[in-house]
Amino acid sequence: MAAFLAAATPLAIFEELRFVWEYLAAAFVLLAIQAEPKPKAALKAAGLIAGFSFVSLGYFPFREFVVSAALPNAMNVLWYLSLVFAMTFSLQCCFRIGLTDLLWSAATAYTTQHIVYIVVHEWLALWIWPSLTQNLALYFCLSAFACIVWYTAVRLIFRDVLSRTGGRLLEDEPYGVLGASALLAMLFLCTFGFQGLFQLDDSRFRSVWMSLLVCIMVLSLQYMACQKVISSREARASEQILADAQSSLDLSHALFERLGSLMHDVRHIVAGVRAEQTEGLGGYLDRVEKNLRSYDATLRTHSEAINAALAKMELLCGQQDITLACMAGRIDGGALRSTDLYALVTGIGRLAMLVASRGKNQEERAIDLSLKQHGGMLFISCDMPIPASAEKLSALEDFQAVKRLATQHGGSLIVMSEGGLTTLRLAVAPGC
């Protein structure tokens, strides 16, 4: 290896190293959004970069073997293809991600990296500014600057959609793995297979723009495919929420009717027993009246759906040792369907309980819930005295499903975390 490196020029060595650095950097940028890092991921990533930087220099003895054996120059593509797949699969030691998702991200990362390669290494250094390659330090800095700018732009474009995958975009089915592998291989073979067109003066301009258009098209298709999968998943989650809400609301309606009739009878019985002034029953009657007041407290609004949702939330908070403080005005829900209204209240309540359940003490395990109807809008707010990652919470499938349902009714759902307080705010137009 040392003999081959001694014969290689610094520029040639840099060209091999920058391929590894640029590809791994693009993959890390995308995977950091989509997947959960494993313990010591940064240290492992540094090891991968160092290891594959050394492996990439094996290209020089490999190329010498191809030349000495009089093999076709196309054999050089196999070296890079093997290197890409090796780097791709090794990324699983840094991130918890399925194989199909990993290959999908690899294809996106390779396309992202190839745009830098086209612009800087083929168009600028090979054609427009050939003397750039004579100043290796400037060449390196320019390449790094292009990567930083372009990778940041791609991260901003893909951040929202990838953060909503919950670490899982595609299923690890055999056809999925095969399809993603085929896409990556075809991208690689096409880009490297027609690389010689950059060397021809009469085809350079067309090659640059055609390659850029193809890469941008692939990135657009990857983005739209991801968006479609997430939207479809969120739509199914919203439909499931509504189906569960309908069954729960039917059950709650029957229970409220039966319980209401029972409480009406109990109220008269307690009044009659108190009138008799029977000795020894004072404490018992006080407890019964306390339960009656607790029942009356569940009828906070004029909406049976909201009353049922609040009663469910109060019961679940009690089971999880979460203190619930609720303030509700006279809400009728307007023209909003009872099922949708119940799903929205229980949905935001479930998210609030998820945050509050992480509290380490009773002060943090608390929810301040507020509901009010004003100016044709219904506002629901949940405040939890515990910090939570707004980005991670908004990426949850339940959050996106409730947000989608709120959007369908002309509203919105947002999460804020500031000063040790996490707030969920939902607003809908009952008339929509």
Side-chain angles (χ1 to χ4, degrees):
M1 173 83 68
F4 290 107
L5 289 180
T9 64
L11 177 62
I13 294 175
F14 170 71
E15 290 289 355
E16 300 308 314
L17 291 175
R18 65 94 200 149
F19 176 73
V20 170
W21 296 341
E22 291 176 359
Y23 174 77
L24 288 178
F28 286 137
V29 165
L30 292 171
L31 291 175
I33 308 172
Q34 179 182 359
E36 179 185 357
K38 291 184 177 180
K40 300 181 180 180
L43 184 62
K44 294 176 181 177
L48 287 180
I49 294 173
F52 280 106
S53 295
F54 177 77
V55 171
S56 68
L57 300 179
Y59 170 75
F60 297 107
F62 177 81
R63 184 181 61 182
E64 181 65 24
F65 168 74
V66 170
V67 172
S68 61
L71 297 175
N73 288 332
M75 290 295 296
N76 293 328
V77 178
L78 296 179
W79 166 265
Y80 291 108
L81 186 60
S82 302
L83 186 61
V84 165
F85 275 103
M87 288 190 291
T88 298
F89 294 137
S90 67
L91 291 170
Q92 283 190 310
C93 72
C94 299
F95 298 94
R96 292 187 174 92
I97 188 170
L99 186 56
T100 308
D101 283 351
L102 179 64
L103 291 168
W104 182 91
S105 297
T108 308
Y110 175 71
T111 308
T112 301
Q113 179 267 337
H114 195 67
I115 289 178
V116 175
Y117 173 76
I118 294 170
V119 173
V120 177
H121 303 285
E122 292 289 356
W123 181 59
L124 188 61
L126 189 64
W127 183 20
I128 303 299
W129 191 6
S131 61
L132 175 63
T133 57
Q134 299 173 10
N135 190 333
L136 198 56
L138 179 61
Y139 192 18
F140 172 83
C141 291
L142 186 61
S143 300
F145 177 76
C147 287
I148 292 172
V149 173
W150 175 235
Y151 291 2
T152 301
V154 171
R155 176 183 173 84
L156 293 175
I157 294 171
F158 278 84
R159 181 175 60 184
D160 178 64
V161 65
L162 286 180
S163 64
R164 288 156 51 193
T165 63
R168 181 182 60 83
L169 175 63
L170 304 170
E171 298 294 338
D172 275 343
E173 299 290 344
Y175 69 88
V177 175
L178 182 61
S181 300
L183 173 62
L184 182 58
M186 285 189 294
L187 277 174
F188 199 90
L189 291 173
C190 289
T191 53
F192 268 75
F194 298 102
Q195 188 176 5
L197 295 176
F198 286 107
Q199 312 293 333
L200 304 177
D201 291 335
D202 59 345
S203 63
R204 278 178 173 175
F205 183 80
R206 290 192 301 272
S207 300
V208 167
W209 285 107
M210 286 301 296
S211 298
L212 284 176
L213 289 175
V214 169
C215 288
I216 292 173
M217 181 190 69
V218 171
L219 282 180
S220 301
L221 291 175
Q222 292 287 84
Y223 179 85
M224 288 187 289
C226 184
Q227 185 70 57
K228 183 178 179 179
V229 171
I230 297 302
S231 297
S232 176
R233 183 186 302 172
E234 291 171 357
R236 290 195 301 270
S238 297
E239 292 171 0
Q240 186 62 48
I241 286 179
L242 290 176
D244 294 342
Q246 183 62 58
S247 59
S248 297
L249 193 55
D250 291 341
L251 178 60
S252 297
H253 177 74
L255 291 176
F256 264 109
E257 282 191 342
R258 179 175 295 183
L259 187 58
S261 176
L262 176 61
M263 289 301 180
H264 178 77
D265 295 338
V266 170
R267 189 172 283 108
H268 284 286
I269 293 172
V270 170
V273 173
R274 278 202 183 278
E276 294 294 332
Q277 296 183 349
T278 306
E279 294 183 2
L281 292 180
Y284 172 74
L285 294 177
D286 289 341
R287 289 194 299 272
V288 174
E289 288 182 333
K290 181 180 179 181
N291 289 331
L292 287 171
R293 289 192 296 271
S294 177
Y295 167 74
D296 291 338
T298 62
L299 307 177
R300 297 180 174 93
T301 71
H302 290 173
S303 169
E304 183 179 324
I306 294 181
N307 291 337
L310 295 179
K312 177 181 179 180
M313 187 174 176
E314 189 172 28
L315 177 62
L316 293 176
C317 284
Q319 292 176 346
Q320 299 182 41
D321 195 27
I322 296 174
T323 303
L324 174 65
C326 179
M327 182 178 68
R330 302 178 70 83
I331 303 171
D332 57 22
L336 199 63
R337 289 193 313 165
S338 296
T339 303
D340 294 43
L341 193 55
Y342 180 86
L344 288 169
V345 178
T346 54
I348 193 173
R350 185 165 56 250
L351 292 168
M353 285 186 284
L354 176 64
V355 175
S357 63
R358 297 172 181 173
K360 299 179 181 179
N361 52 57
Q362 196 60 45
E363 292 183 354
E364 292 181 340
R365 298 177 68 86
I367 300 174
D368 187 357
L369 176 64
S370 171
L371 300 95
K372 60 181 179 180
Q373 192 168 335
H374 178 70
M377 294 290 292
L378 172 63
F379 300 94
I380 305 175
S381 177
C382 292
D383 296 322
M384 289 73 65
I386 178 176
S389 172
E391 185 176 354
K392 289 184 178 180
L393 189 61
S394 60
L396 293 177
E397 190 171 293
D398 279 352
F399 183 95
Q400 293 297 330
V402 177
K403 182 178 179 180
R404 184 186 185 92
L405 185 58
T407 304
Q408 290 173 356
H409 293 285
S412 63
L413 173 63
I414 61 174
V415 57
M416 299 176 291
S417 185
E418 185 177 1
L421 182 70
T422 302
T423 301
L424 288 162
R425 296 194 189 281
L426 185 145
V428 291
C432 291

